[in-house]
Amino acid sequence: MVKLLNPWVEPSKNGKFRYRAKFKNPLTLKYQTVNVTIPKNTPQARRKGLAELQKKADKKAQENKYSKITLGALRDKYLKWLDGRQVPYNTYQRNKFQTGLFINDLGEDVIASKITTIMLNRYFNEMLNKKAPKKSKKKFYYSNESIIGRRACIKNMYQFGVNFGFVKENPVLQVAVSTRNENYKKANRLKYKFLTDEEYHILIKACEKKKRYDLRDLIIWLYNTGMRINEAVALRPSDVYQDKNDGYWYCKVTGSLIRKKNVPLNKRFEKSDSAKTFAGNRDVLLSKGLVRIYKRHKDNLCDYPVSGSRAILFLNEFGDTKTTIDASTFDQFLQRCEEKYHIKKHLTSHIFRHSHISNLLSEDVDLKTVMVRVGHVDASMILDIYAHVTKEQRDNLAKVIGA
């Protein structure tokens, strides 16, 4: 309840009276005026009028509380709050990027509380139907994943607004995001998600032909551990150890490489405090071949420190400056190989992880062991994505059923 300041009465031309009062809005800290009409200037009429003034002032303060903040201001407050929570760098950047695109489309000065569920349904429907440029291989500009990802970031921004009193409700909660039937796309991705032995060795030879032994060793490491690219390029020599009890060599995964934007080179790279997921913090058993790679690289020193340490296992050794290997640059190298050697698959660093899991399952390694090795917490994810039928398994089935 706001405090009314010195109510006063003014006569009206129609013979009645205007009862007025000022109050200080608790959100804007500015003074505002409310008024009501009373029939007579008597104590009884003023008492009734005062109650009406109080209701009006309270309502106005509440309306101001939920109506004045713009989308741009809400986004800025949300990002500041996210930064204060010390969420992973990539999580912060994803929310900044997606909410930024949303606000660019609608306008920074739009009042946040004026955005309705119907407006958002139309907005996402337009995203769904936007055609890709004619030169693009894609039919549509946005994938289902892109639309769902943007919705999630906008929903989180509005939920922050609700939780801290900047908006009254979250209009995204009731948004019904339609999606295209992309089963054909999923089936196609599944088919081309894994490398054959021949394709794997083509990439190894391509690295050797270019004398990129740094990339060759990284590919071998990824293919034989199933590690994510940013887990591997964040490794320090001290993360590899030999167990005193069983004598095996292990690699301790405790974080991922973060590459910050618009900062000096000596502060650009950091290692996160944890892996991508809780299950991602793990010890990966190494083959003898991987131990040899570790010994070749264990004395590497990066010209630019990563979280204060220059000791990094895998470095970009191309050129005069030794830096960490950038995931996007590595993907570009793979895609040049894809085109040059006519590999009919979309090559990214993640294909080595998929291939490793597929190879383990093909060799009848039990599901729990695979999950622990690659840092998956959900078995269904592995089964849905990786449990395809290899040629050898089809041939075996053919023998069993007498095909």
Side-chain angles (χ1 to χ4, degrees), residues 8-20 35-42 45-46 49 53:
W8 72 94
V9 177
E10 295 177 356
S12 297
K13 292 180 180 180
N14 60 6
K16 295 183 179 180
F17 297 87
R18 303 293 292 173
Y19 199 21
R20 299 176 181 272
N35 62 79
V36 295
T37 300
I38 55 176
K40 298 177 182 179
N41 187 10
T42 62
R46 288 197 298 271
L53 286 174

Side-chain angles (χ1 to χ4, degrees), residues 340-387:
K340 183 174 182 178
Y341 296 102
H342 308 290
I343 299 173
K344 295 181 179 179
K345 294 175 181 176
H346 181 54
L347 297 186
T348 69
S349 61
H350 224 58
I351 202 167
F352 302 114
R353 179 173 171 83
H354 300 159
S355 300
H356 182 66
I357 294 172
S358 175
N359 292 339
L360 294 180
L361 294 174
S362 297
E363 294 296 327
D364 295 325
V365 177
D366 69 275
L367 187 59
K368 180 65 177 177
T369 300
V370 175
M371 287 171 60
V372 172
R373 180 169 178 81
V374 300
H376 265 310
V377 70
D378 186 1
S380 64
M381 187 179 296
I382 290 181
L383 292 174
D384 289 344
I385 298 177
Y386 304 108

Side-chain angles (χ1 to χ4, degrees), residues 149-165:
R150 187 171 302 181
R151 177 190 180 275
C153 292
I154 299 168
K155 184 190 77 171
N156 292 340
M157 179 182 74
Y158 265 98
Q159 195 56 51
F160 159 81
V162 172
N163 293 346
F164 289 89

Side-chain angles (χ1 to χ4, degrees), residues 168-187:
K168 189 174 183 179
E169 57 188 24
N170 187 343
V172 192
L173 294 178
Q174 300 302 319
V175 167
V177 178
S178 300
T179 53
R180 291 182 293 271
N181 185 342
E182 293 185 343
N183 287 338
Y184 72 93
K185 188 175 175 182
K186 183 177 179 181

Side-chain angles (χ1 to χ4, degrees), residues 92-159:
Y92 176 86
Q93 291 298 325
R94 181 171 62 254
N95 277 272
K96 181 180 179 181
F97 178 70
Q98 292 292 358
T99 55
L101 290 176
F102 173 67
I103 290 169
N104 285 343
D105 289 340
L106 273 72
E108 284 216 1
D109 296 329
V110 171
I111 301 300
S113 60
K114 299 297 183 183
I115 301 298
T116 65
T117 297
I118 292 174
M119 291 169 65
L120 291 171
N121 280 333
R122 290 172 179 166
Y123 174 77
F124 288 116
N125 190 60
E126 286 178 10
M127 285 184 66
L128 187 74
N129 294 313
K130 185 175 181 179
K131 302 290 185 183
K134 290 182 179 179
K135 294 182 180 180
S136 174
K137 295 179 181 179
K138 302 187 298 181
K139 184 177 179 181
F140 293 98
Y141 194 85
Y142 294 104
S143 66
N144 286 342
E145 290 88 347
S146 298
I147 297 169
I148 292 169
R150 187 171 302 181
R151 177 190 180 275
C153 292
I154 299 168
K155 184 190 77 171
N156 292 340
M157 179 182 74
Y158 265 98
Q159 195 56 51

Side-chain angles (χ1 to χ4, degrees), residues 128-377:
L128 187 74
N129 294 313
K130 185 175 181 179
K131 302 290 185 183
K134 290 182 179 179
K135 294 182 180 180
S136 174
K137 295 179 181 179
K138 302 187 298 181
K139 184 177 179 181
F140 293 98
Y141 194 85
Y142 294 104
S143 66
N144 286 342
E145 290 88 347
S146 298
I147 297 169
I148 292 169
R150 187 171 302 181
R151 177 190 180 275
C153 292
I154 299 168
K155 184 190 77 171
N156 292 340
M157 179 182 74
Y158 265 98
Q159 195 56 51
F160 159 81
V162 172
N163 293 346
F164 289 89
F166 297 114
V167 290
K168 189 174 183 179
E169 57 188 24
N170 187 343
V172 192
L173 294 178
Q174 300 302 319
V175 167
V177 178
S178 300
T179 53
R180 291 182 293 271
N181 185 342
E182 293 185 343
N183 287 338
Y184 72 93
K185 188 175 175 182
K186 183 177 179 181
N188 198 45
R189 278 204 310 264
L190 190 61
K191 182 179 179 182
Y192 296 110
K193 214 173 182 73
F194 316 92
L195 288 174
T196 64
D197 284 343
E198 181 183 1
E199 290 163 342
Y200 167 65
H201 286 102
I202 286 173
L203 293 176
I204 296 299
K205 288 178 182 177
C207 292
E208 292 174 342
K209 188 175 181 180
K210 289 282 187 180
K211 296 185 179 180
R212 292 304 306 269
Y213 304 112
D214 52 345
L215 299 186
R216 178 201 64 186
D217 287 355
L218 178 59
I219 287 174
I220 294 171
W221 189 278
L222 295 174
Y223 187 77
N224 288 281
T225 62
M227 290 174 65
R228 301 175 178 92
I229 177 66
N230 283 320
E231 292 174 342
V233 296
L235 289 174
R236 295 168 178 158
S238 58
D239 292 326
V240 179
Y241 67 96
Q242 186 176 24
D243 189 272
K244 294 179 180 179
N245 296 319
D246 59 27
Y248 293 132
W249 286 81
Y250 295 87
C251 174
K252 188 179 290 292
V253 179
T254 58
S256 300
L257 185 72
I258 298 170
R259 187 178 189 271
K260 294 190 172 182
K261 298 178 181 179
N262 304 319
V263 295
L265 270 172
N266 62 342
K267 296 181 179 178
R268 187 166 298 176
F269 304 102
E270 286 186 5
K271 184 175 181 179
S272 65
D273 296 331
S274 179
K276 184 178 179 182
T277 64
F278 175 77
N281 296 309
R282 63 199 188 277
D283 290 46
V284 180
L285 180 63
L286 301 180
S287 66
K288 293 177 181 178
L290 295 181
V291 174
R292 287 193 290 272
I293 288 177
Y294 154 72
K295 290 181 177 178
R296 276 203 299 272
H297 294 269
K298 65 183 178 66
D299 296 322
N300 281 349
L301 289 176
C302 185
D303 288 341
Y304 299 101
V306 177
S307 296
S309 174
R310 292 179 58 210
I312 296 294
L313 196 60
F314 293 105
L315 291 178
N316 181 352
E317 297 176 3
F318 183 75
D320 298 329
T321 304
K322 289 188 175 183
T323 61
T324 57
I325 295 175
D326 180 67
S328 59
T329 304
F330 181 56
D331 282 348
Q332 290 169 13
F333 171 81
L334 294 175
Q335 284 149 27
R336 289 196 295 272
C337 291
E338 172 189 330
E339 185 176 346
K340 183 174 182 178
Y341 296 102
H342 308 290
I343 299 173
K344 295 181 179 179
K345 294 175 181 176
H346 181 54
L347 297 186
T348 69
S349 61
H350 224 58
I351 202 167
F352 302 114
R353 179 173 171 83
H354 300 159
S355 300
H356 182 66
I357 294 172
S358 175
N359 292 339
L360 294 180
L361 294 174
S362 297
E363 294 296 327
D364 295 325
V365 177
D366 69 275
L367 187 59
K368 180 65 177 177
T369 300
V370 175
M371 287 171 60
V372 172
R373 180 169 178 81
V374 300
H376 265 310
V377 70

